Amino acid sequence: MDIVFDAELWVWDARRADTWTFVSLPADASDEISDLTEGSRPGFGSVRVRARVGATTWTTSVFPDKARGCYVLPVKRAVREAEGLHPGDTTAVTLEVLTRPV
């Protein structure tokens, strides 16, 4: 399952000193991921994905964010630096879900 969307980078305010930066997945894509991985997610609900922003591809996980009502993707510093991105910027994201139902 591949998901393509545009999203704004935002900083997780619970630990601003660590500068954890994320994008939020669209609600419909989050629902699809949840349905696809039902029963195969670990206790906290993460789902393995291959992400691409610009020319940079990496493997990570998306995490459910109850406050936002969707999954969120962490965008690590190396990706942001390679792509010249900063919090508040909007970027195109492509995700491939790697977790398959059991």
Side-chain angles (χ1 to χ4, degrees):
M1 172 179 165
D2 289 338
I3 301 167
V4 179
F5 60 98
D6 291 338
E8 181 179 330
L9 281 85
W10 53 270
V11 176
W12 184 40
D13 58 7
R15 296 177 75 179
R16 291 185 83 79
D18 293 337
T19 319
W20 285 80
T21 305
F22 294 84
V23 296
S24 299
L25 278 66
D28 59 338
S30 294
D31 291 343
E32 285 184 59
I33 290 171
S34 185
D35 290 346
L36 177 69
T37 61
E38 185 66 36
S40 65
R41 294 182 304 263
F44 56 93
S46 67
V47 175
R48 296 292 294 163
V49 297
R50 181 171 298 115
R52 187 176 76 235
V53 170
T56 307
T57 302
W58 73 104
T59 302
T60 187
S61 294
V62 293
F63 303 89
D65 182 335
K66 290 184 185 191
R68 294 175 184 269
C70 63
Y71 279 92
V72 295
L73 169 72
V75 182
K76 60 187 180 177
R77 181 181 318 235
V79 173
R80 297 190 316 269
E81 289 176 354
E83 299 301 328
L85 295 170
H86 305 281
D89 291 346
T90 298
T91 188
V93 179
T94 301
L95 292 181
E96 176 188 357
V97 176
L98 301 177
T99 301
R100 301 289 182 233
V102 288

